[in-house]
Amino acid sequence: MNASHSKPKYYLTTPLYYTNGLPHIGHTYSTIVADVIRRYKRMRGFDVVMTTGADEHGVNVERSAKKAGMSPQEFSTAIAAQWKQLWDDLGIPGEEFIRTTDERHHRTVQWLFKRCRDNGFVEKGHYTGQYCIFDNAYVVDAGPGDPCPDCGRPTETVTEENYFFKLSEFQQRLLDFYAANPDFIKPESRRNEVLSFVNGGLRNLSITRTTIRWGIPVPGEAPHVFYVWFDALIGYLSAVGGPDYDQRGLWPADLHIVGKEIIRFHAVYWPAFLMAADLPLPRQIWAHGWLLFDSEKMSKSRGNVVRPRPIVNVLGIEPLRYYLLREIVFGQDGSFSYDALVGRYNSDLANGLGNLASRTLTMIERYFGGEVPKPADARGYGRDVPGSADFASAALTNITQLYERLSFSLALESIWELVGWIDKYITVEKPWTLAEKPEDRDRLANVLYTAAEGLRIVVALAHPVLPQSTQKIWQQLGQAEPLDSVQLDSLSWGQLKPGTKIGKPEAVFPRVEKSETIERIEAMEQEQNKAAAPPATTTAAPAAGSVTAAPAVEASPKIGIEDFAKVEMRVGLVKTAERVAGADKLLQLQVDIGDEVRQIVAGLALAYKPEALVGRKVVVVTNLQPRKLRGVESNGMIVAATGPDGSPVIAGFLEEVPVGARLK
Ligand code: MSP
């Protein structure tokens, strides 16, 4: 019998991400968290399946496609491919990648709708809202006569026929369900939020539209298409069999990981849809907090997004995984900072785990010819150090419980306490001194066995978060069985066999220079943001396994004059220029743009001396969202081309132009 058949199943999901934009590290955070849970559950004996995917329908995608001069299908296919490619490149692909444009998904949505309708939970009604004719979309929260926030044109009051889901009939059933399943919504704060929302009464929900083209057709009811949530949520079920869900035995899902802003849809609408269709409900919904940048939610519309590829290209995926899980308390918001990311890398990975591994392995190689020594005392030397069986077993129980509660930050803190103790133990015992006296040979063997065995337990515990680097150290410890097949429940002190031949000690986390690393990431980020626009049909996916700063666009799509008119460029005069402390490439400029003087931080320092810029006329993009670079606010951008050697060349004028003149 296939071993995996005897294992219990565990099914978890990430949100299905919208294809009107590309991933930033907020999205990456959700997928990384789900991947950590997947790996942890495997080490607890489960046969795990993770679904991620793309939410492709709706007005926003339709609109972005129009802007890119593409059909929604073409556009969305290109973007979905980039999401999928990123997860592949980062080593976090799901077993299933569901696209809401997949045929299997269409079939499932239509099937679920029929079940809800047959059970009497769908009715026809009328929806009235403010509609922007130009953008073909309703404007949420607008009153009669209010302008469209996108194009500024007046909206019109439109009434259309819709299908409604009778959500109001589920208020009591949902409340009973929450009461009977206190762990259904996590964390507690989100559960309270949902309870008070449902207690406040539920209104029926419009689940179709006739004004949108880009959606799943309601069978026999053209021009109705399904609308937003009665489409995307169902993807979790489509991915694992849809109408035939019982064949794979993965439904109901054990866990949906979502961001806090979509908890209501997952914890209210989704169970109600499933109840209406007589289908089993997911076991748990966990809402994490937001990654903030400069105290605001990171999002494309705020222009403050951090992309994952530059970080991964410069530092690697593992430091990013470690940082996100260690630094952010799961369930709460957390601020993203490059400084903390690189700081954590150097202190916890390079100086912490990496250093412990290399000093332990090097000493075993040097003093015992590369073979794990036999300890004279099998329980390890000294009862008050991690090298005791009791100590290790307590740590294992404690850390497993923290993982189980998804308290990643505390789990890592506890694992790194072990790292610290083993390190201290080595420092106190001074094996290099013991090695000088033959009479201390037994003690030396004890110390190095203890350190190596402690290290083995540490890397097994850290494996869900640091899969590649822990596997490397595991192998260096001479362990043949792949670490991901090790079961945490059967891990115990003393399993490291004396005489095991260790591998060549190699640095797993080389130390990096902080400011240089941050500059490299930021420079790559800027390059990528410049390129990150809607995709072109020609978008080439990077080769599997490679992590490159693949620009979002290979060939720029045409834009209309109204798009160009959105960019405000003016002639500026550089008043002062100075270097930004600790950043080799950045200059901080004060630039007169006619009616005000702007502070702008630009990556020009390697190509221009500050004094050479003072008095120079430059082209400034004046209506960009302000952002901070190395803590200094930048309010605008200097236009420059990339010269033949890759360095920036500032755009200028051959004739006289007045300061503040607008470029057209
Ligand atoms: N398509 C819907 C979800 C449908 S699920 C059936 C959607 N997509 S999204 O592309 O906007 O992705 C939202 C998810 O990305 C959030 O729920 C969250 O998991 C993640 N994040 C997006 N921005 C984030 C932060 N700034 N911080 C942390 N996570 C964030 O909503």
Side-chain angles (χ1 to χ4, degrees):
M1 192 168 115
N2 182 332
S4 71
H5 286 153
S6 55
K7 290 183 187 169
K9 298 208 183 275
Y10 190 90
Y11 177 41
L12 86 160
T13 64
T14 76
L16 309 185
Y17 303 103
Y18 286 131
T19 49
N20 62 332
L22 292 169
H24 55 65
I25 60 157
H27 309 112
T28 312
Y29 176 59
S30 297
T31 309
I32 287 177
V33 163
D35 179 68
V36 170
I37 299 169
R38 161 169 62 168
R39 292 175 192 272
Y40 163 73
K41 285 285 175 189
R42 287 204 178 122
M43 295 181 87
R44 295 301 303 277
F46 289 89
D47 182 11
V48 189
V49 168
M50 171 173 126
T51 285
T52 185
D55 182 358
E56 305 188 42
H57 294 122
V59 185
N60 289 336
V61 173
E62 215 174 9
R63 233 188 237 158
S64 303
K66 193 170 153 195
K67 276 189 195 156
M70 295 160 80
S71 74
Q73 178 73 50
E74 265 180 333
F75 177 87
S76 191
T77 299
I79 296 269
Q82 297 204 38
W83 282 84
K84 187 164 184 314
Q85 187 67 50
L86 179 75
W87 305 145
D88 286 349
D89 290 348
L90 301 191
I92 47 178
E95 279 64 41
E96 293 292 339
F97 187 91
I98 183 81
R99 295 182 53 187
T100 57
T101 48
D102 285 347
E103 195 276 328
R104 59 178 173 159
H105 177 66
H106 283 214
R107 206 160 24 93
T108 308
V109 171
Q110 291 167 345
W111 167 78
L112 198 93
F113 175 73
K114 185 168 180 314
R115 284 180 76 117
C116 292
R117 184 150 74 169
D118 290 350
N119 287 344
F121 293 114
V122 171
E123 65 182 6
K124 260 193 183 162
H126 287 93
Y127 177 87
T128 301
Q130 290 308 117
Y131 193 76
C132 171
I133 306 272
F134 181 77
D135 285 329
N136 267 332
Y138 282 100
V139 178
V140 188
D141 295 335
D146 282 355
C148 166
D150 272 354
C151 68
R153 294 175 172 82
T155 56
E156 292 184 16
T157 308
V158 168
T159 296
E160 65 165 307
E161 188 187 66
N162 282 179
Y163 278 103
F164 281 76
F165 176 80
K166 294 186 192 171
L167 187 62
S168 57
E169 295 194 11
F170 289 87
Q171 182 183 17
Q172 197 51 50
R173 277 181 74 180
L174 284 168
L175 291 172
D176 292 346
F177 176 75
Y178 302 145
N181 298 278
D183 288 335
F184 178 63
I185 306 165
K186 289 293 226 179
E188 200 58 24
S189 54
R190 298 292 153 224
R191 175 181 155 83
N192 294 337
E193 183 187 306
V194 170
L195 286 184
S196 78
F197 173 73
V198 177
N199 272 314
L202 295 174
R203 294 201 345 223
N204 288 348
L205 191 70
S206 155
I207 55 167
T208 69
R209 285 282 187 275
T210 53
T211 41
I212 300 175
R213 298 278 158 277
W214 179 233
I216 301 173
V218 181
E221 302 284 350
H224 284 271
V225 297
F226 290 103
Y227 183 62
V228 189
W229 294 101
F230 201 95
D231 172 350
L233 288 163
I234 301 164
Y236 300 140
L237 182 59
S238 323
V240 291
D244 305 317
Y245 67 90
D246 45 355
Q247 284 180 12
R248 276 178 80 182
L250 286 166
W251 195 260
D254 292 278
L255 178 64
H256 293 312
I257 292 289
V258 299
K260 65 180 184 181
E261 80 286 4
I262 54 174
I263 184 69
R264 189 181 292 177
F265 310 115
H266 283 78
V268 182
Y269 296 4
W270 185 218
F273 296 163
L274 291 166
M275 281 173 179
D278 283 328
L279 291 171
L281 271 46
R283 299 206 169 87
Q284 194 171 60
I285 320 258
W286 237 106
H288 63 71
W290 286 337
L291 285 192
L292 311 174
F293 199 74
D294 294 339
S295 321
E296 284 199 86
K297 182 187 180 216
M298 201 180 285
S299 73
K300 197 174 70 171
S301 52
R302 289 194 182 91
N304 63 348
V305 296
V306 173
R307 304 278 175 192
R309 282 194 194 271
I311 295 174
V312 171
N313 284 351
V314 173
L315 212 52
I317 176 68
E318 304 244 318
L320 178 63
R321 291 171 70 103
Y322 178 80
Y323 164 77
L324 291 174
L325 289 162
R326 173 69 183 82
E327 199 86 353
I328 295 159
V329 175
F330 191 60
Q332 294 178 16
D333 291 351
S335 282
F336 178 86
S337 115
Y338 288 117
D339 218 65
L341 165 73
V342 183
R344 277 270 171 218
Y345 172 79
N346 276 336
S347 68
D348 296 12
L349 298 180
N351 293 350
L353 180 59
N355 182 48
L356 173 65
S358 77
R359 71 198 296 216
T360 304
L361 291 159
T362 308
M363 287 191 283
I364 292 180
E365 182 164 62
R366 189 171 303 153
Y367 305 136
F368 291 94
E371 276 183 17
V372 174
K374 184 169 168 42
D377 176 348
R379 289 166 303 168
Y381 180 82
R383 295 295 109 75
D384 54 344
V385 293
S388 81
D390 299 349
F391 190 98
S393 104
L396 271 163
T397 311
N398 168 37
I399 291 162
T400 312
Q401 276 168 5
L402 291 170
Y403 268 123
E404 204 54 44
R405 296 206 296 268
L406 309 193
S407 299
F408 304 113
S409 176
L410 288 177
L412 291 173
E413 199 178 316
S414 304
I415 299 171
W416 259 256
E417 258 171 34
L418 290 179
V419 171
W421 280 324
I422 305 169
D423 237 348
K424 191 163 162 222
Y425 170 67
I426 295 175
T427 308
V428 169
E429 291 293 329
K430 298 192 182 54
W432 47 92
T433 312
L434 298 175
E436 284 167 9
K437 298 188 202 127
E439 64 272 26
D440 282 338
R441 189 78 184 158
D442 275 358
R443 190 159 161 190
L444 177 65
N446 270 337
V447 172
L448 289 184
Y449 180 86
T450 300
E453 178 57 335
L455 177 64
R456 190 185 68 94
I457 288 185
V458 160
V459 295
L461 284 168
H463 182 67
V465 179
L466 298 170
Q468 295 160 18
S469 41
T470 51
Q471 171 62 36
K472 273 190 205 149
I473 301 173
W474 183 256
Q475 244 166 300
Q476 288 174 12
L477 280 165
Q479 304 303 297
E481 184 191 7
L483 185 44
D484 58 8
S485 61
V486 165
Q487 294 299 295
L488 289 178
D489 294 321
S490 48
L491 192 69
S492 65
W493 184 266
Q495 290 165 330
L496 179 61
K497 289 200 181 60
T500 304
K501 191 93 193 105
I502 60 160
K504 192 132 196 66
E506 272 169 37
V508 180
F509 302 112
R511 237 190 109 77
V512 297
E513 206 283 306
K514 198 187 217 176
S515 50
E516 195 235 314
T517 305
I518 297 176
E519 274 168 41
R520 281 177 57 208
I521 297 174
E522 285 187 339
M524 241 184 231
E525 173 99 38
Q526 280 187 353
E527 273 301 305
Q528 203 182 320
N529 275 345
K530 265 190 252 159
T537 32
T538 52
T539 303
S546 69
V547 178
T548 54
V553 188
E554 294 284 318
S556 301
K558 300 274 178 274
I559 58 166
I561 188 77
E562 69 282 1
D563 286 321
F564 177 69
K566 285 185 197 152
V567 182
E568 189 184 285
M569 285 188 280
R570 294 214 239 155
V571 177
L573 177 68
V574 180
K575 308 289 282 181
T576 65
E578 59 189 271
R579 293 185 184 280
V580 174
D584 292 350
K585 293 203 181 111
L586 298 181
L587 290 182
Q588 178 178 340
L589 313 170
Q590 300 296 329
V591 184
D592 184 352
I593 56 163
D595 44 11
E596 61 176 302
V597 175
R598 289 279 185 92
Q599 174 166 292
I600 297 175
V601 180
L604 299 171
L606 295 182
Y608 295 90
K609 290 208 162 61
E611 54 278 17
L613 289 178
V614 176
R616 212 171 144 157
K617 283 189 179 155
V618 291
V619 178
V620 181
V621 180
T622 51
N623 62 343
L624 275 182
Q625 295 268 13
R627 63 171 296 187
K628 277 193 180 156
L629 290 163
R630 306 307 302 274
V632 184
E633 179 156 303
S634 179
N635 197 356
M637 193 177 88
I638 308 281
V639 175
T642 304
D645 61 348
S647 55
V649 179
I650 293 177
F653 301 92
L654 294 174
E655 281 92 29
E656 247 336 286
V657 275
V659 171
R662 215 180 145 175
L663 276 81
K664 288 188 279 197

